């Protein structure tokens, strides 16, 4: 799941599972200039060839509420 652009995004009740990326952000890649909220969701069993196996946040404002993150892997940083 790619979240980009300059607006804000609020996401809820998602299951992001079994995804992969050659580079970064196997499950969710957040490269948004606005704020991102993620609630009541699961991010599991994703992988990345570089960093951010489950979630990659490129330094933006992110709020997580009741988030289950498990079983994600990355070759360099942030499984």
């Amino acid at each position: 799941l790619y979240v980009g652009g300059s607006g804000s995004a609020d996401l809820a009740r998602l299951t992001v599972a079994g995804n992969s990326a050659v580079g970064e952000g196997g499950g969710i890649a957040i490269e948004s200039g606005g704020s991102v909220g993620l609630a009541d969701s699961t991010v599991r069993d994703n992988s990345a060839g570089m960093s951010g196996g489950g979630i990659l946040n490129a330094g933006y404002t992110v709020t997580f509420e009741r988030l289950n993150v498990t079983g994600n892997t990355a070759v360099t940083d942030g499984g």
Side-chain angles (χ1 to χ4, degrees):
L1 173 64
Y2 176 80
V3 182
S6 60
S8 62
D10 290 309
L11 308 167
R13 296 178 295 281
L14 298 177
T15 297
V16 179
N19 300 290
S20 64
V22 173
E24 300 177 322
I28 301 174
I30 301 169
E31 296 179 352
S32 172
S35 63
V36 176
L38 183 58
D40 302 312
S41 298
T42 298
V43 179
R44 64 175 170 80
D45 304 325
N46 300 288
S47 64
M50 292 178 65
S51 56
I55 301 169
L56 169 77
N57 178 23
Y60 300 100
T61 303
V62 179
T63 303
F64 297 132
E65 296 178 3
R66 298 170 304 278
L67 187 65
N68 180 13
V69 180
T70 185
N72 301 289
T73 59
V75 173
T76 56
D77 297 312

